[in-house]
C-alpha cells in the first residue's frame, strides 16, 4: 500500500481518508466496526472524525469519536493508525468556538471518547471569526507540548484567516498548520483552486478534500430528480443536476468504462492526481461501496482521461 507523508511531518498515510461522519449516524456501532475492520484489513490507516459528529441527529456530538475509540480499544491497533479529529464546530449547545478555553476542554473530551493518549492531526474545524489567531495557536502549542496532539491542520478558514495563522505561527514560533481540509471535487473546483491552491503551494500543505464525491453525486447514481430519494443525502445533490453536472457524469462514465471501473473510483483518482492532494476524505456504508474506494489509488488516469475530466468540469 503506497503511503504519503502529511506536509513535512512523519505521519504516513495511505491515500484514502475514511470519513467518520457516518459513525453513529447512518451506521450503528456494529456496522461501523465491520466497515472499519474492512478498511484497515485492506491496508488503509487514516481515519477522519470530529468532536461534534453527529450532532445534527443527536443534538450533542461525540458519537463518531466514541465508536472509533471503542473499536480501536477492542482491536488494540491504535499505533497502526493515523487519527484526525476536529474542534470548533457548532452544536445545538454552542456556536463555532476556537477560543483557548474551548480547545483545552474539547481536546480532553475527544481523547476520552477516542480512548487514546494523543491525536495525530487536530483540525480547526470552523472559524468563529472572533478569536485572535494567536489565542487559538497558543492553545495548540499548549496541547502539543503536553503530548495530547502531534500536529495541527485547518478546515473551514477563510483564505485571509488561514494566511494570518500561518504568518503568526512563523513569527511567534507557534505550531503551524500542516494540512488543509477544503471542499473540493470535480463539480466544486473554483473555490479551492482560486482561493486556496496558491496558499497550499506556498506553505507546502497537504490537502484532504471533503465532499470528495459531492455528497454522492459523483458516484453516478443521481441522474434525475427521481433519483434523489435514493439516500438520506439525496436532497443535497439536487444542486448538481445541471447541464454541467451531467457533462461531468458523462465524462466519468466514459473514463470508468475505459478502465472497467466505477465513476466514484475515477472521481477519487482525479482528486489524487491533483497537486498536494494527499488523501481524499470519503465515507462508505457497505462493503461494495468500500471497494470503489479501495480501487481509486490503483487507478492511474492518463493524459487523455485527465483532459476529458478537466474540460467537463471547468
Amino acid at each position: 500500500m503506497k503511503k504519503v507523508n502529511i506536509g513535512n511531518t512523519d505521519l504516513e498515510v495511505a491515500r484514502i481518508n475514511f470519513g467518520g461522519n457516518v459513525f453513529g449516524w447512518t451506521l450503528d456501532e456494529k456496522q461501523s466496526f465491520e466497515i472499519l475492520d474492512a478498511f484497515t484489513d485492506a491496508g488503509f490507516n487514516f481515519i477522519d472524525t470530529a468532536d461534534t459528529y453527529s450532532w445534527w441527529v443527536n443534538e450533542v456530538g461525540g458519537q463518531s469519536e466514541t465508536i472509533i475509540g471503542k473499536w480501536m480499544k477492542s482491536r488494540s491497533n491504535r499505533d497502526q493508525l493515523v487519527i484526525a479529529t476536529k474542534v470548533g464546530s457548532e452544536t445545538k449547545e454552542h456556536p463555532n468556538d476556537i477560543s483557548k478555553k474551548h480547545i483545552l476542554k474539547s481536546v480532553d473530551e475527544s481523547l476520552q471518547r477516542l480512548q487514546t493518549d494523543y491525536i495525530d492531526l487536530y483540525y480547526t474545524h470552523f472559524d468563529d471569526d472572533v478569536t485572535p489567531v494567536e489565542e487559538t495557536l497558543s492553545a495548540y502549542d499548549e496541547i502539543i507540548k503536553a503530548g495530547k496532539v502531534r500536529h495541527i491542520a485547518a478546515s473551514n478558514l477563510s483564505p485571509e484567516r488561514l494566511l494570518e495563522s500561518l504568518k503568526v505561527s512563523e513569527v511567534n514560533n507557534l505550531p503551524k498548520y500542516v494540512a488543509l481540509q477544503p471542499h473540493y471535487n470535480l463539480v466544486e473546483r473554483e473555490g479551492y483552486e482560486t482561493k486556496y491552491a496558491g496558499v497550499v503551494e506556498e506553505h507546502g500543505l497537504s490537502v484532504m478534500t471533503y465532499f470528495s464525491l459531492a455528497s454522492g453525486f459523483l458516484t453516478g447514481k443521481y441522474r434525475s430528480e427521481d433519483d434523489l430519494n435514493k439516500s438520506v443525502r439525496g436532497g443535497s445533490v439536487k444542486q448538481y443536476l445541471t447541464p454541467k453536472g451531467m457533462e461531468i457524469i458523462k465524462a466519468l462514465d466514459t473514463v470508468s468504462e475505459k478502465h472497467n471501473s466505477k465513476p466514484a473510483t475515477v472521481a477519487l483518482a482525479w482528486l489524487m492526481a491533483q497537486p498536494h492532494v494527499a488523501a481524499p476524505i470519503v465515507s462508505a456504508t457497505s462493503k461494495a461501496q468500500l471497494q470503489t474506494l479501495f480501487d481509486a489509488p490503483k487507478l492511474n488516469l492518463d493524459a487523455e482521461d485527465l483532459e476529458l475530466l478537466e474540460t467537463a468540469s471547468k
Side-chain angles (χ1 to χ4, degrees):
M1 177 66 68
K2 180 184 177 183
K3 293 181 179 175
V4 295
N5 287 82
I6 296 176
N8 60 355
T9 76
D10 60 354
L11 297 178
E12 281 193 333
V13 296
R15 297 202 65 197
I16 292 291
N17 188 184
F18 194 92
N21 61 318
V22 291
F23 303 142
W25 176 26
T26 52
L27 293 178
D28 62 22
E29 185 175 300
K30 179 177 181 293
Q31 294 167 326
S32 299
F33 278 32
E34 290 171 354
I35 290 289
L36 285 164
D37 284 340
F39 184 71
T40 51
D41 286 348
F44 295 92
N45 68 331
F46 193 14
I47 299 167
D48 178 90
T49 185
D51 61 344
T52 53
Y53 295 163
S54 49
W55 74 268
W56 51 91
V57 290
N58 297 288
E59 296 196 10
V60 179
Q63 293 78 20
S64 176
E65 287 183 336
T66 298
I67 287 172
I68 293 167
K70 287 181 178 180
W71 172 74
M72 289 194 297
K73 185 174 183 179
S74 69
R75 305 304 190 257
S76 300
N77 62 357
R78 175 66 184 95
D79 62 337
Q80 301 164 38
L81 302 168
V82 174
I83 300 295
T85 192
K86 313 181 192 73
V87 64
S89 173
E90 68 174 346
T91 68
K92 290 183 179 177
E93 295 184 308
H94 60 76
N96 294 343
D97 188 350
I98 53 169
S99 66
K100 187 169 187 175
K101 179 181 178 181
H102 184 72
I103 290 171
L104 297 183
K105 175 176 180 286
S106 297
V107 72
D108 286 339
E109 293 170 347
S110 286
L111 290 168
Q112 186 173 13
R113 287 189 292 263
L114 289 164
Q115 300 190 52
T116 185
D117 296 327
Y118 65 97
I119 294 161
D120 296 295
L121 193 63
Y122 200 41
Y123 283 94
T124 299
H125 197 175
F126 285 91
D127 200 347
D128 60 16
D129 296 317
V130 293
T131 302
V133 297
E134 293 89 345
E135 179 181 332
T136 300
L137 294 170
S138 70
Y140 291 146
D141 188 46
E142 186 172 322
I143 59 180
I144 288 173
K145 286 176 177 174
K148 297 177 181 180
V149 166
R150 295 183 66 190
H151 301 282
I152 59 168
S155 187
N156 298 287
L157 272 64
S158 68
E160 295 77 20
R161 288 271 279 186
L162 176 60
L163 278 167
E164 182 185 1
S165 299
L166 293 166
K167 181 178 179 181
V168 166
S169 295
E170 292 173 349
V171 171
N172 297 284
N173 196 29
L174 289 167
K176 185 178 179 181
Y177 294 132
V178 298
L180 178 69
Q181 186 177 131
H183 183 182
Y184 185 43
N185 56 53
L186 262 173
V187 75
E188 294 274 9
R189 293 179 54 183
E190 185 178 1
Y192 169 75
E193 292 179 359
T194 61
K195 297 177 182 178
Y196 293 96
V199 180
V200 164
E201 173 70 31
E202 181 182 354
H203 292 273
L205 306 180
S206 287
V207 174
M208 272 66 80
T209 58
Y210 72 82
F211 289 156
S212 301
L213 295 176
S215 298
F217 175 71
L218 296 173
T219 65
K221 72 178 180 180
Y222 303 99
R223 295 171 185 259
S224 72
E225 291 199 15
D226 293 339
D227 295 328
L228 297 179
N229 62 358
K230 287 185 176 180
S231 81
V232 296
R233 304 177 78 178
S236 57
V237 174
K238 185 176 180 180
Q239 62 181 310
Y240 302 129
L241 295 175
T242 64
K244 177 186 173 183
M246 291 302 102
E247 279 298 309
I248 293 169
I249 295 298
K250 181 181 176 182
L252 287 171
D253 286 341
T254 300
V255 176
S256 60
E257 186 176 342
K258 171 182 171 181
H259 292 278
N260 192 26
S261 187
K262 299 283 180 64
T265 304
V266 173
L268 293 173
W270 177 83
L271 277 171
M272 283 183 266
Q274 304 311 303
H276 303 290
V277 174
I281 299 168
V282 63
S283 301
T285 55
S286 70
K287 299 284 182 67
Q289 289 178 4
L290 271 180
Q291 191 58 51
T292 65
L293 315 187
F294 296 165
D295 291 341
K298 297 179 277 188
L299 177 57
N300 293 312
L301 301 177
D302 61 30
E304 182 183 33
D305 300 329
L306 292 170
E307 184 178 356
L308 182 64
L309 294 166
E310 289 278 327
T311 302
S313 61
K314 275 294 189 183

